[in-house]
Amino acid sequence: MNIEKELHDAGGFLNLDLLAKQVVEGYISGMHKSPFHGFSAEFAEHKIYNTGESTRHIDWKLFAKTDKLYTRRYEEETNLRCHLIIDNSASMHYPAMKTQSLSSLNKIGFSVLASACIMHILKRQRDAVGMSIYSDEFEFYSPEKSSERHHHMLLDKLNDILKDKAKRKTTDTYTFLHQIAEKLKRRSLIFLFTDMFQADTDEEKLFEALRHLKYNRHEVILFHVIDEKRELDFNFENTPRRFTDVETGMEVDLYSDNIRENYKKAVEKYLGELKMQCAKYRIKYVEADINKNFDNIMTTYLLEKQKFG
């Protein structure tokens, strides 16, 4: 399959599961050349053998290759529960695209594929995954399960997000994070994909909701999905442009060079405060630039899973 032809004309991924598998396997292959080499087998389908455990499930073929002892994972050993939360507001459909490819994704396309990659790893390790999707309404919720049928249902839902072209949906993050927190009864690893655009709510309410997510000892990872070139560096040609707020419809005409310096200062101040608040409440902040690959997403998953225990 040509990896650059992975999209339907309708806007969804032709085979999201296969594409996620290719991305994950490329990452695992690359781990052999990285500081995470020792984790690569466990990350795939195995766990490190601990002295005193039964030797019945040791993978001797893997031992011959690595000179390390690993045991195969089995469904009854599952103890990780993961919940994916995706912001599907209009700003997440920026920049507008007729088609998307692996090398050219908008924020929602990046979030969908990143989520599918995490799901693929969880599936290989037979761990349970659930999902919530919100915008100006609570669009979808599914509790954590590990069955094949459940996995395909979530993949279909992710594809539906891409097929549903962006409408002018405002973001009501704080309201729905509170609702999601109430639904998550058992300790989970929570990954939130959002651009943190919340025009009508002060930041304190947003952080109250993020703190609520940590209730019941959940671990929360905030993937701050951004288009660094445009949204952080304000890298536009210096010609008269009309900028439109995709959520409110407000418009302003300006030359990008005239405001770039002040814009970048304001953004840097906001990001600094955001990171400080995340550190204060022990929420893992990860910048997720849509112009980069998914290695940072999967490395974060790997490290957080190791700590979760």
Side-chain angles (χ1 to χ4, degrees):
M1 174 182 164
N2 185 337
I3 205 165
E4 291 301 328
K5 293 182 178 178
E6 70 273 14
L7 290 169
H8 277 302
D9 291 338
F13 288 101
L14 182 62
N15 191 326
L16 181 55
D17 199 24
L18 180 58
L19 183 57
K21 179 182 179 182
Q22 290 175 324
V23 173
V24 171
E25 289 185 349
Y27 173 74
I28 292 174
S29 175
M31 288 170 70
H32 292 286
K33 304 168 188 173
S34 80
F36 295 106
H37 173 69
F39 288 114
S40 58
E42 181 190 5
F43 188 52
E45 297 172 314
H46 298 75
K47 69 175 185 176
I48 295 171
Y49 171 76
N50 294 310
T51 305
E53 290 181 344
S54 169
T55 58
R56 188 168 55 143
H57 299 309
I58 288 178
D59 188 329
W60 294 109
K61 287 184 179 179
L62 189 60
F63 173 73
K65 293 179 183 177
T66 65
D67 203 30
K68 294 181 181 178
L69 291 173
Y70 294 97
T71 58
R72 290 190 175 277
R73 294 174 57 92
Y74 290 88
E75 191 156 6
E76 60 269 21
E77 297 174 27
T78 293
N79 57 15
L80 180 69
R81 305 174 70 83
C82 179
H83 199 85
L84 303 167
I85 306 174
I86 300 175
D87 174 357
N88 189 34
S89 56
S91 63
M92 288 288 287
H93 290 258
Y94 177 84
M97 291 184 174
K98 289 185 178 179
T99 60
Q100 300 189 61
S101 69
L102 189 64
S103 59
S104 181
L105 296 161
N106 64 10
K107 290 190 284 186
I108 198 66
F110 183 94
S111 301
V112 161
L113 186 49
S115 296
C117 289
I118 292 173
M119 283 173 51
H120 180 77
I121 299 164
L122 291 162
K123 177 184 174 183
R124 291 177 72 152
Q125 299 188 319
R126 300 178 180 88
D127 288 325
V129 60
M131 185 180 294
S132 295
I133 301 167
Y134 70 87
S135 55
D136 58 344
E137 61 180 327
F138 199 160
E139 298 181 8
F140 177 78
Y141 170 79
S142 179
E144 298 79 26
K145 297 179 184 177
S146 57
S147 70
E148 186 78 15
R149 181 178 179 183
H150 177 74
H151 181 84
H152 284 291
M153 184 269 288
L154 294 186
L155 286 172
D156 287 343
K157 193 64 192 178
L158 286 173
N159 247 333
D160 287 345
I161 297 176
L162 293 185
K163 293 175 184 178
D164 180 21
K165 297 302 181 185
K167 303 182 178 89
R168 188 162 292 157
K169 298 176 180 178
T170 55
T171 315
D172 213 353
T173 298
Y174 78 101
T175 298
F176 300 118
L177 290 188
H178 280 302
Q179 293 182 21
I180 294 165
E182 291 293 334
K183 288 178 175 290
L184 300 179
K185 303 299 184 186
R186 296 178 62 181
R187 184 169 182 250
S188 301
L189 195 56
I190 299 172
F191 294 102
L192 169 60
F193 290 88
T194 177
D195 56 12
M196 293 297 286
F197 286 156
Q198 183 78 34
D200 59 351
T201 306
D202 64 26
E203 291 170 24
E204 187 53 37
K205 283 189 177 180
L206 192 52
F207 278 99
E208 282 176 14
L210 286 169
R211 290 202 301 277
H212 191 181
L213 271 185
K214 285 186 67 70
Y215 186 67
N216 277 347
R217 296 171 57 242
H218 301 306
E219 291 298 326
V220 179
I221 296 87
L222 169 61
F223 285 122
H224 189 195
V225 186
I226 53 170
D227 181 343
E228 185 172 317
K229 183 173 68 173
R230 297 178 179 88
E231 294 180 328
L232 266 59
D233 298 336
F234 209 64
N235 190 0
F236 296 95
E237 291 180 10
N238 193 37
T239 55
R241 297 179 68 97
R242 174 163 293 176
F243 293 87
T244 305
D245 186 317
V246 292
E247 297 196 357
T248 66
M250 291 180 61
E251 296 177 340
V252 59
D253 297 319
L254 49 81
Y255 286 89
S256 60
D257 281 3
N258 292 353
I259 69 160
R260 181 177 291 114
E261 188 175 342
N262 287 336
Y263 173 87
K264 289 179 69 172
K265 284 180 181 176
V267 168
E268 286 169 10
K269 180 174 182 290
Y270 169 69
L271 287 179
E273 291 172 353
L274 177 58
K275 292 172 184 176
M276 186 175 67
Q277 290 290 322
C278 284
K280 180 179 177 181
Y281 297 113
R282 299 184 70 183
I283 294 164
K284 175 84 171 179
Y285 174 92
V286 180
E287 188 175 288
D289 181 6
I290 65 173
N291 302 298
K292 295 180 181 176
N293 63 28
F294 295 92
D295 287 5
N296 195 29
I297 304 294
M298 289 181 283
T299 297
T300 298
Y301 165 84
L302 174 60
L303 294 173
E304 292 305 312
K305 179 183 183 296
Q306 293 291 325
K307 294 190 298 184
F308 188 67

